[in-house]
Amino acid sequence: MAEEKEIKKTFKIQTKDLHLHYGDFHALKGINIAIKTNTVTALIGPSGCGKSTYLRVFNRMNDLITGVKIEGSVLVDDVDIYKDKIAIDNLRKNVGMVFQKPNPFPKSIYENVAYGLRVNGINDKNFIDERVERSLKQAALWDEVQDKLKKSAMALSGGQQQRLCIARTLAVEPTVILMDEPASALDPISTAKIEELIHELKQKYTIIIVTHNMQQAGRVSDRTAFFYLGELIEYGNTKEIFTHPKNPRTQNYITGRFG
Amino acid sequence: MTQLELKINELKELLSEMTNLVRLQLTKCEDAIMHNDHAIALEVMAKEKRVNALELKIDRDCENVIALFNPVAIDLRFILATLKINTNLERIGDNADGIARYIVDLKKTFDSDLVEKYQLAEMFQTAVSMVDDTIASLVNEDSKMARKVLDKDEKLNTINRQATTVTLDLIKNAPERADQYLLLLSIIRKLERVGDQTQNIAEEIIFFIEAKVLKHKDKR
């Protein structure tokens, strides 16, 4: 019994026979995945394959779309986030998200990072100061912004804005970070910084990243899941997926022979 | 067809060209010995430059494909295999060149009874048929054919082992032709190396097609 619990604990996130419909459209078809704690999982596949939909399952972002129906189970820390009575704001605190386009609030750098804390009712200035500094440091942005915390976040470069968004996500201390093409709008240097950051954040967080960049998936992830037409075609160690994928469809996709 | 596929096909054609070339080098060495024709051996020595040039071209093309196309999976395996196949083909070329030099070194021609005793014709035919199998297996992406090469190598090893005893017996009985024995033994040794190099190529082809590593393992 104790052993069973031990095994369960190693998986941070699991989906079992997960189906998702947008009205009549069957967007996810029976997805079974188990993701270990402190790993990076890359979701790859052509546009419309369901990878972003799948990513949004974990913080219930799809709930905002009308006509969505979800079947199967989604476990985060062994709790079914759809069946059990859980508070969505708590879930979203635990499962943070970084989007494709940097989306800082039109506020100061400091307030951007403090925002999540404030909406959670925290007002202690020292506590917030400390958390802002720590989050910016974790997001590898502190050195660049420590002298201009009161300046507008909109004045930062795209790459800095994206790291600010990561800092904002980290401030509320999530354990899972979802990233939806976090570097696709950035130049190669900013991209390299984000990737470096992902490597560091992996020590403390479980990260799931959607990317269209095959080399990026190879560089940052431990495991890779390939989606096609709403199905999970292959899920395995990134090294194996990129050297000898088992499924010919995976091979066709990653080698650019699709369609 | 993608640009990468086009590049890979071009590389495959270059490999075929190089394989055909080193195959020709080997058969010419055989002809030079069997027909007592030093001119053919000199031709082999001259053609060695062409083998070297092809090696450089294939290496450079592989480097470009890696840098520009970031190949993965079967494409990456093809490029990695090509780099090693290329090296082995060049070494087969070196061995053919070495054999040609031995032929030229012997100012006269080899006595036919000795050529027979050393099973030289069989040695050449087996080596050449191994090269044929590797090229066919690469062009048709047929790993079964590549495995045949691994079996054939045994024959070369056997003849090579026997060559030592043959040489000892000959030296004892007729030491006056020792210069020929030593050169023939050296040629046998070189052909045995050709067998090993061809086997390496076959292993790389199997790696490319099946993603299996046979190197340093029980082959079957």
Side-chain angles (χ1 to χ4, degrees), chain A residues 190-257:
Chain A
S190 302
T191 300
K193 278 188 183 153
I194 299 286
E195 289 179 4
E196 214 33 61
L197 191 53
I198 291 172
H199 272 291
E200 273 165 37
L201 294 176
K202 191 173 93 172
Q203 316 300 323
K204 286 183 73 177
Y205 307 91
T206 304
I207 298 168
I208 307 176
I209 176 172
V210 164
T211 177
H212 276 295
N213 181 331
M214 294 298 112
Q215 280 71 47
Q216 181 168 71
R219 287 190 297 263
V220 303
S221 72
D222 303 295
R223 308 268 289 173
T224 295
F226 169 56
F227 285 79
Y228 185 59
L229 299 176
E231 281 177 55
L232 175 67
I233 305 297
E234 191 165 349
Y235 173 54
N237 287 332
T238 298
K239 269 183 210 152
E240 274 155 37
I241 298 270
F242 284 92
T243 53
H244 45 95
K246 291 187 181 70
N247 193 299
R249 280 179 291 182
T250 315
Q251 173 140 301
N252 284 341
Y253 182 69
I254 62 170
T255 58
R257 287 184 175 84

Side-chain angles (χ1 to χ4, degrees), chain A residues 64-238:
Chain A
L64 306 172
I65 302 163
T66 47
V68 164
K69 200 177 81 196
I70 291 176
E71 295 157 77
S73 59
V74 183
L75 308 181
V76 176
D77 292 323
D78 298 329
V79 175
D80 191 322
I81 59 168
Y82 284 86
K83 293 219 177 81
D84 302 320
K85 283 192 174 146
I86 61 143
I88 289 206
D89 45 355
N90 273 340
L91 171 70
R92 297 207 178 126
K93 218 167 83 179
N94 185 33
V95 182
M97 189 156 193
V98 177
F99 297 84
Q100 179 175 9
K101 247 187 100 191
N103 54 353
F105 302 131
K107 291 168 175 283
S108 71
I109 294 167
Y110 180 95
E111 282 307 322
N112 261 277
V113 185
Y115 186 83
L117 301 169
R118 293 205 200 281
V119 297
N120 278 298
I122 296 166
N123 289 311
D124 180 342
K125 190 179 178 306
N126 286 340
F127 180 86
I128 294 177
D129 279 354
E130 202 182 294
R131 189 65 72 77
V132 167
E133 180 175 340
R134 196 173 75 198
S135 304
L136 285 168
K137 278 181 176 162
Q138 273 185 302
L141 189 60
W142 178 252
D143 291 346
E144 291 160 61
V145 301
Q146 56 174 319
D147 303 326
K148 46 181 177 183
L149 292 174
K150 300 291 172 206
K151 293 253 171 70
S152 168
M154 309 313 277
L156 296 173
S157 74
Q160 288 173 325
Q161 286 185 8
Q162 192 63 305
R163 277 178 283 147
L164 179 66
C165 293
I166 293 173
R168 188 175 65 193
T169 304
L170 298 177
V172 293
E173 300 199 310
T175 60
V176 177
I177 304 173
L178 309 175
M179 296 183 166
D180 196 349
E181 297 186 54
S184 64
L186 306 180
D187 68 55
I189 294 169
S190 302
T191 300
K193 278 188 183 153
I194 299 286
E195 289 179 4
E196 214 33 61
L197 191 53
I198 291 172
H199 272 291
E200 273 165 37
L201 294 176
K202 191 173 93 172
Q203 316 300 323
K204 286 183 73 177
Y205 307 91
T206 304
I207 298 168
I208 307 176
I209 176 172
V210 164
T211 177
H212 276 295
N213 181 331
M214 294 298 112
Q215 280 71 47
Q216 181 168 71
R219 287 190 297 263
V220 303
S221 72
D222 303 295
R223 308 268 289 173
T224 295
F226 169 56
F227 285 79
Y228 185 59
L229 299 176
E231 281 177 55
L232 175 67
I233 305 297
E234 191 165 349
Y235 173 54
N237 287 332
T238 298

